[in-house]
């Protein structure tokens, strides 16, 4: 939205292909049509999103809702499903904003019914005003605390918050705190959430380790160690320990990526304006590297400024002058982000499965032991392991297992993750109906304008 | 590093050759620039097909099919081979006429593995076929295997017999020094008595290093696979004259091929897809099997495959050098031939001769005698 607004302010229009039913993405999902009686329960940041959405809606941007992009070619062709057919559009400049996915937490039982992510809790709440009573929330990071606080404001009972933030992280992150104070507002918000949770009397367990889901057929609770072995019974367990860039679109397009050790995640390799290894493709927001909602707004604007320069709308020195305050803001946010990344850096034992029977690939039901066997039989590379075990071949296209597989292969060979690499991905980026695809022809959408 | 035989290329031909040589006590080294079964041998459609072969290939293909039927026991591995039969559907009377014509030629040569089936038998074996289809041809011996697994089964069996595989190792140059070949690779020099070129889409470059020129081209045949769906087809399905090919695996997924080509970028080691052509393949699949309209495509891909102008492979000795042999250019139907080609290459390396007539597969069959 920020990029489209910037283009609009300079007299250009953009075609925005959005899978969502309304503008707002994940963070501001349903902000203009909230089903909640009082959306302020979701916090002032969420409500503020309504302003952005309304400015965007009134801009020159052409928003196509329900446009599910399943292929972006380096030739600038974009294929997407829309209203039951495949459409194609050719673009001179492309900005990809695929957002974040939640970091998988492959503990024993994590694939049982009743185990969900904190992000799923947010989607249910924002879109459908649905909540789970007496749920356990486990993991670490701002999103986890935010959803717990949102639940409490709505009067929903929470069975417990199991905080897995390692105690030593507080020490490790402390040196980064002074630099992070530029993000004081954000820091204060985070602290306020935590004290809000404590005041509400929710049992909070700290420095939790050895998590496992209780139950055989479905989740019945969570066991963990925190001042001794603990057990909480619950029908629903929400897990969360941070987010990762959603890799499939940028990977399938073949953009250069690199491993970021601070965020323990693959980032798209790009310049300050979000320009990727392909000159006409830019990436903004969490999809390139986690920057948060505020960072994403700046990145979108900067990418648009760069696109305007590339389209000859203004000179690069003019761009640099306009960009300066935004870049400074981003640097300030980055210092805060480094603090958060260090503080909430997940435990290795929660990032990679420990139990040989733990399912790694949900789609193809591949367990840690299956992957280890494939490795022993000679598969050293994520793609070789995929070919051998089918891990990553299912409908999610490796979104869930990809980071785990790269991590495991790195661990087993004592190699940097960067050297191990990631799955080679292809379009389509979602299940595509054969009937829809069979009717594919080059349709130039009438949503014209400068693309 | 030294070996009796250096094999260039870790696809199914290279791995099967390594297996056949190693089990006979020969020291074998395989260099593979990526990883075993990375390209055509690992990402092909897995068809194990005897039906419809060029007549020159039939003797090899028949022997290979016999080997497929006992391959799992021989290699002590799971290649995923299933003899489900293969039916080529006849869409109209012209197709039936073509089938009758071929049937006569096959009978004259004493081959009985292809059989024409009636409209009723077609319907019985493929209940979901479009009712306008008039019949077909069937081979009961045919089926499919899992390409990556099958290729690696040969690799692991070869390793058990002492063969060495060097992955991520690219051949940079070849020199003949006295009675030996000296191969410069990205992992150092290798000295070998014999070279076997199984380099697939890169085999023309290896052939040139050996001293033979060959008009090899490469392309990117495309495939797509659906999410699991209820079982509706047991045999592998093809068509006499249409671009239709699919098979439903035991897990319910359906692999759709048909021969449409994407874009092959050999220098960059990758392929791009041509979505309009894949859409055409989807249309054909739905025309023949309306139930497929309900399918969901999960993945699409293409592999880099080597083609000869006559779509027949090169199998045999080098013509411009001693102690060098070729097996490449299988033109998108070499997977089934892998087992027998390994045997043929081992025979050539060890005895200089083969039980099979390889004259149609000579590397110099396109050499011009005059300008």
């Amino acid at each position: 939205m920020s990029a489209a607004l910037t283009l609009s302010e300079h007299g250009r229009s953009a075609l925005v292909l959005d899978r969502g039913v309304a503008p707002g993405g994940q963070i501001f999902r349903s902000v203009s049509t909230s089903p909640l009686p009082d959306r302020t329960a979701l916090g002032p940041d969420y409500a503020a999103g309504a302003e952005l959405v309304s400015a965007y809606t009134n801009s020159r941007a052409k928003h196509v809702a329900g446009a599910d992009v399943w292929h972006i070619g380096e030739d600038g062709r974009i294929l997407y499903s829309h209203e039951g057919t495949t459409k194609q559009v050719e673009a001179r400049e492309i900005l990809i904003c695929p957002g974040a996915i939640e970091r998988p937490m492959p503990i024993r039982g994590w694939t049982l019914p009743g185990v969900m992510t904190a992000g799923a809790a947010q989607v249910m709440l924002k879109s459908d005003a649905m909540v789970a009573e007496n749920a356990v929330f486990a993991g670490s990071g701002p999103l986890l605390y935010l959803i717990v606080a949102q639940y409490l404001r709505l009067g929903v009972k929470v069975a417990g918050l199991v905080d897995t933030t390692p105690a030593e992280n507080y020490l490790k992150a402390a040196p980064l705190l002074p630099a992070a104070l530029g993000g004081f507002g954000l820091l204060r918000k985070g602290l306020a959430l935590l004290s809000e949770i404590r005041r509400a009397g929710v049992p909070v367990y700290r420095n939790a380790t050895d998590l496992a889901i209780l139950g055989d057929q479905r989740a019945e609770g969570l066991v963990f160690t925190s001042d001794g072995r603990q057990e909480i019974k619950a029908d629903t367990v929400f897990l969360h320990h941070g987010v990762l860039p959603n890799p499939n679109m940028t990977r399938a397009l073949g953009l250069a990526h690199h491993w970021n050790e601070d965020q323990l995640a693959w980032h798209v390799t790009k310049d300050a304006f979000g320009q990727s290894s392909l000159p006409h493709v830019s990436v903004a927001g969490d999809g390139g590297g986690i920057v948060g909602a505020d960072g994403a707004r700046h990145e979108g604007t900067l990418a648009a400024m760069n696109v305007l320069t590339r389209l000859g709308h203004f000179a690069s020195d003019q761009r640099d002058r306009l960009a300066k305050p935004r870049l400074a803001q981003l640097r300030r946010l980055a210092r805060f982000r480094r603090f958060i990344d260090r503080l909430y850096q997940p435990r290795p034992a929660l990032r990679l499965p420990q139990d040989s029977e733990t399912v790694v690939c949900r789609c193809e039901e591949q367990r840690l032991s299956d992957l280890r066997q494939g490795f022993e039989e000679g598969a050293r590379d994520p793609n070789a392991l995929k070919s051998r075990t089918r891990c990553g071949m299912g409908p999610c296209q490796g979104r869930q297992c990809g980071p785990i597989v790269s991590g495991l292969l790195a661990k087993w060979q004592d190699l940097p993750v960067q050297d191990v690499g990631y799955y080679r991905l292809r379009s389509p980026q979602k299940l595509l109906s054969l009937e829809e695809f069979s009717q594919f022809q080059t349709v130039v959408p009438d949503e014209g304008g400068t693309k | 590093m030294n070996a009796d035989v250096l094999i260039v290329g870790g696809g199914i031909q290279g791995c099967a050759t390594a297996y056949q040589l190693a089990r006979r006590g020969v020291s074998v080294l395989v260099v593979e620039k990526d990883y075993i079964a990375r390209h055509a041998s690992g990402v092909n459609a897995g068809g194990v097909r005897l039906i419809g072969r060029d007549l020159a290939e039939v003797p090899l293909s028949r022997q290979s099919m016999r080997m497929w039927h006992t391959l799992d026991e021989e290699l002590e591995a799971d290649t995923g081979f299933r003899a489900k039969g293969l039916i080529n559907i006849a869409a109209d009377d012209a197709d039936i006429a073509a089938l009758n014509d071929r049937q006569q030629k096959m009978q004259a040569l004493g081959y009985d593995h292809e059989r024409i089936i009636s409209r009723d038998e077609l319907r019985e074996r493929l209940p979901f076929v479009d009712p306008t289809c008039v019949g077909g041809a069937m081979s009961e011996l045919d089926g499919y295997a899992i390409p990556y697994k099958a290729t690696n089964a040969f690799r692991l069996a070869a390793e058990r017999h002492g063969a060495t595989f060097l992955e991520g190792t690219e051949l940079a140059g070849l020199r003949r020094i006295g009675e030996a070949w000296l191969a410069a690779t990205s992992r150092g020099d290798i000295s070998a008595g014999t070279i076997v070129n199984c380099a697939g889409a890169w085999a023309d470059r290896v052939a040139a290093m050996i001293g033979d020129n060959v008009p090899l081209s490469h392309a990117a045949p495309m495939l797509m696979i659906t999410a699991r769906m209820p079982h509706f087809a047991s045999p592998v399905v093809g068509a006499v004259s249409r671009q239709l090919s699919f098979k439903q695996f035991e897990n319910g997924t359906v692999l759709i091929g048909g021969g449409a080509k994407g874009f092959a970028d050999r220098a960059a080691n990758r392929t791009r897809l041509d979505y309009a052509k894949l859409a055409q393949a989807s249309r054909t699949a739905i025309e023949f099997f309306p139930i497929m309209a309900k399918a969901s495509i999960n993945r699409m891909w293409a592999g880099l495959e080597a083609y000869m102008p006559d779509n027949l492979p090169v199998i045999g000795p080098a013509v411009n050098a001693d102690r060098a042999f070729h097996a490449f250019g299988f033109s998108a139907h070499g997977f089934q031939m892998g087992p027998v080609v390994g045997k043929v290459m081992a025979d050539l390396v060890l005895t200089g001769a083969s039980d099979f007539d390889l004259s149609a597969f000579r590397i110099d069959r396109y050499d011009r005698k005059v300008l």
Side-chain angles (χ1 to χ4, degrees):
Chain A
M1 289 191 288
S2 300
L5 266 175
T6 304
L7 289 168
S8 181
E9 281 160 14
H10 291 272
R12 310 299 286 246
S13 67
L15 179 67
V16 181
L17 302 177
D18 182 11
R19 185 171 57 194
V21 292
Q26 298 290 341
I27 299 287
F28 303 132
R29 176 186 286 271
S30 308
V31 72
S32 48
T33 57
S34 178
L36 294 168
D38 178 11
R39 70 179 182 203
T40 56
L42 299 181
D45 287 348
Y46 181 68
E51 278 172 44
L52 178 62
V53 170
S54 118
Y56 167 78
T57 311
N58 292 322
S59 76
R60 298 165 67 109
K62 179 77 196 175
H63 186 259
V64 187
D68 203 352
V69 173
W70 58 264
H71 170 74
I72 302 175
E74 55 183 43
D75 54 4
R77 270 185 224 183
I78 299 167
L79 301 180
Y80 61 101
S81 298
H82 186 233
E83 293 170 345
T85 63
T86 290
K87 292 183 181 172
Q88 171 172 297
V89 61
E90 284 158 4
R92 185 159 145 192
E93 295 284 337
I94 300 171
L95 174 64
I96 308 180
C97 306
I101 54 173
E102 281 174 275
R103 183 189 290 283
M105 197 195 291
I107 58 175
R108 201 168 73 224
W110 73 304
T111 54
L112 288 172
V115 183
M116 285 184 272
T117 66
Q122 282 244 322
V123 171
M124 292 192 304
L125 182 59
K126 288 178 186 171
S127 301
D128 306 310
M130 268 175 60
V131 295
E133 285 279 349
N134 263 320
V136 182
F137 289 80
S140 67
L143 179 61
L144 187 73
Y145 311 137
L146 176 64
I147 182 70
V148 173
Q150 288 172 338
Y151 261 46
L152 295 172
R153 286 174 210 155
L154 292 163
V156 184
K157 195 167 169 346
V158 172
L161 171 60
V162 178
D163 194 324
T164 60
T165 311
E168 64 268 25
N169 279 19
Y170 293 95
L171 281 174
K172 285 186 187 160
L176 298 172
L177 185 58
L181 287 176
F184 184 69
L186 290 166
L187 205 59
R188 199 181 49 202
K189 275 190 235 167
L191 292 171
L193 286 178
L194 285 171
S195 71
E196 189 179 343
I197 292 166
R198 271 193 297 269
R199 276 200 315 273
V202 173
V204 177
Y205 304 84
R206 299 207 166 276
N207 197 23
T209 55
D210 299 324
L211 278 68
I213 305 293
L214 284 168
D216 292 326
Q217 298 303 313
R218 59 158 298 118
E220 291 165 13
L222 184 76
V223 285
F224 55 95
T225 302
S226 169
D227 280 331
R229 203 65 179 152
Q230 312 275 353
E231 187 178 306
I232 309 177
K233 296 278 187 199
D235 292 336
T236 310
V237 181
F238 290 110
L239 301 177
H240 175 87
H241 59 167
V243 293
L244 301 169
N246 186 356
N248 288 43
M249 216 171 256
T250 55
R251 283 278 178 185
L253 178 51
L255 302 184
H257 288 69
H258 61 272
W259 178 254
N260 181 294
E261 194 59 37
D262 288 336
Q263 296 198 343
L264 298 172
W266 292 102
H267 282 191
V268 175
T269 305
K270 55 189 173 67
D271 69 9
F273 292 95
Q275 192 173 313
S276 75
S277 52
L278 279 181
H280 55 281
V281 177
S282 309
V283 179
D286 283 351
I290 302 305
V291 292
D294 294 338
R297 291 176 73 159
H298 294 306
E299 286 198 351
T301 304
L302 288 165
M305 289 176 180
N306 191 43
V307 166
L308 284 164
T309 308
R310 292 167 52 80
L311 292 174
H313 192 83
F314 47 57
S316 59
D317 56 343
Q318 196 182 350
R319 174 198 69 186
D320 293 347
R321 206 168 47 246
L322 286 169
K324 219 168 179 179
R326 298 265 175 192
L327 289 166
Q329 293 265 23
L330 267 177
R331 278 193 297 275
R332 191 175 59 81
L333 288 170
R335 287 194 291 273
F336 175 71
R337 179 64 48 187
R338 270 196 290 281
F339 169 73
I340 291 288
D341 289 340
R342 189 64 60 88
L343 180 60
Y344 296 118
Q345 187 167 86
R347 287 178 195 282
L350 290 176
R351 282 199 298 130
L352 298 178
Q354 306 297 312
D355 184 319
S356 66
E357 288 312 299
T358 298
V359 171
V360 174
C361 170
R362 293 165 177 254
C363 305
E364 295 291 330
E365 288 182 47
Q366 293 296 312
R367 294 166 194 276
L368 176 60
S369 54
D370 301 316
L371 300 189
R372 181 68 204 190
Q373 191 189 336
F375 172 75
E376 306 279 350
E377 287 169 359
R380 297 285 183 268
D381 165 297
N383 299 297
L385 196 63
K386 175 163 91 172
S387 294
R388 184 172 284 273
T389 63
R390 301 187 58 81
C391 183
M393 282 195 182
C396 92
Q397 305 264 16
R399 276 181 185 85
Q400 291 279 324
C401 62
I404 303 173
V405 163
S406 291
L408 286 172
L409 286 170
K411 182 172 125 184
W412 291 336
Q413 299 174 90
D414 198 18
L415 283 174
V417 180
Q418 175 78 40
D419 294 355
V420 167
Y422 193 78
Y423 292 139
R424 186 171 51 247
L425 296 180
R426 295 274 201 182
S427 309
Q429 279 138 40
K430 56 148 196 157
L431 284 179
L432 175 65
S433 140
L434 197 72
E435 184 161 42
E436 177 201 309
F437 185 46
S438 73
Q439 290 156 12
F440 161 63
Q441 44 195 327
T442 304
V443 177
V444 179
D446 53 7
E447 301 94 348
T450 308
K451 289 150 198 160
Chain B
M1 283 175 286
N2 290 298
D4 295 339
V5 179
L6 173 65
I7 297 172
V8 185
I12 192 163
Q13 316 300 344
C15 290
T17 303
Y19 165 70
Q20 293 288 353
L21 285 167
R23 67 191 279 261
R24 296 191 219 173
V26 178
S27 82
V28 181
L29 230 163
V30 180
V31 289
E32 161 54 51
K33 71 176 177 56
D34 296 303
Y35 56 82
I36 298 303
R38 160 68 182 88
H39 294 285
S41 292
V43 303
N44 68 67
V48 178
R49 170 179 70 83
L50 177 51
I51 200 169
R53 290 258 165 195
D54 188 288
L55 293 176
E57 282 181 346
V58 171
L60 282 168
S61 185
R62 277 167 67 97
Q63 177 59 27
S64 212
M65 192 58 92
R66 276 181 217 116
M67 296 169 80
W68 272 108
H69 280 256
T70 55
L71 201 57
D72 281 9
E73 295 109 89
E74 180 176 354
L75 301 179
E76 297 171 42
D78 174 20
T79 63
F81 176 67
R82 299 286 183 275
K84 300 273 189 186
L86 189 157
I87 294 176
N88 275 336
I89 297 171
D92 51 31
D93 291 343
D95 282 353
I96 294 286
L99 286 177
N100 283 327
D101 195 39
R102 180 172 168 89
Q103 186 85 339
Q104 280 182 6
K105 285 184 193 148
M106 296 287 282
Q107 276 169 359
L109 291 164
Y111 299 138
D112 56 2
H113 55 269
E114 292 179 18
R115 185 168 65 79
I116 293 180
I117 60 172
S118 66
R119 181 190 282 256
D120 287 347
E121 185 174 352
L122 176 69
R123 201 93 52 246
E124 193 181 307
R125 290 183 180 271
L126 289 169
F128 290 90
V129 73
D130 188 82
T132 60
C133 295
V134 294
M138 172 156 195
S139 165
E140 306 268 3
L141 296 170
D142 292 15
Y144 60 81
I146 306 298
Y148 186 87
K149 281 187 170 184
T151 303
N152 272 282
F154 274 113
R155 176 251 181 100
L156 292 171
E159 282 182 331
R160 285 198 296 275
H161 287 287
T164 302
F165 289 76
L166 298 177
E167 295 176 292
T169 307
E170 187 160 7
L171 182 69
L174 266 182
R175 283 196 297 149
R176 189 91 170 118
I177 299 175
E179 291 298 295
W181 288 99
L182 186 67
T185 78
S186 52
R187 284 226 224 149
D189 287 351
I190 297 169
S191 174
T194 303
I195 295 285
V196 182
N197 173 16
C198 298
W202 290 264
D204 54 336
R205 286 166 50 184
V206 177
M209 291 183 199
I210 288 169
D212 291 342
N213 286 311
V214 64
L216 188 78
S217 64
H218 48 272
M222 298 184 291
L223 296 170
M224 48 193 171
I225 193 158
T226 70
R228 291 158 203 236
M229 52 190 296
H231 277 276
F232 70 94
S234 170
V236 178
V237 175
V240 175
S241 64
R242 308 291 202 279
Q243 285 210 324
L244 172 75
S245 170
F246 73 83
K247 55 185 68 78
Q248 185 169 30
F249 294 109
E250 283 168 348
N251 68 5
T253 60
V254 181
L255 180 65
I256 305 171
K261 310 272 199 315
F263 309 99
D265 186 348
R266 184 171 78 165
N269 218 17
R270 62 184 190 145
T271 57
R272 278 192 300 120
L273 304 184
D274 185 333
Y275 294 93
K277 286 197 186 132
L278 278 172
Q280 176 60 47
S282 305
R283 267 194 291 283
T284 310
I286 294 171
E287 269 168 35
F288 278 82
F289 285 85
I291 190 177
M292 297 269 274
K294 302 216 182 317
S296 294
I297 304 164
N298 183 9
R299 286 174 292 128
M300 303 168 169
W301 71 95
L304 270 163
E305 169 64 340
Y307 291 81
M308 287 295 286
D310 54 3
N311 287 324
L312 288 178
V314 170
I315 305 172
V319 293
N320 292 310
D322 291 333
R323 303 307 308 159
F325 301 88
H326 303 289
F328 63 82
F330 286 82
S331 311
H333 52 270
F335 179 62
Q336 188 267 351
M337 306 262 271
V340 77
V341 169
K343 174 99 174 26
V344 166
M345 299 314 288
D347 288 344
L348 287 174
V349 167
L350 295 175
T351 71
S354 167
D355 302 338
F356 294 91
D357 176 7
L358 301 176
S359 54
F361 314 123
R362 285 177 300 114
I363 191 166
D364 61 348
R365 62 186 188 266
Y366 284 97
D367 274 10
R368 294 177 192 216
K369 301 299 180 251
V370 288
L371 279 175

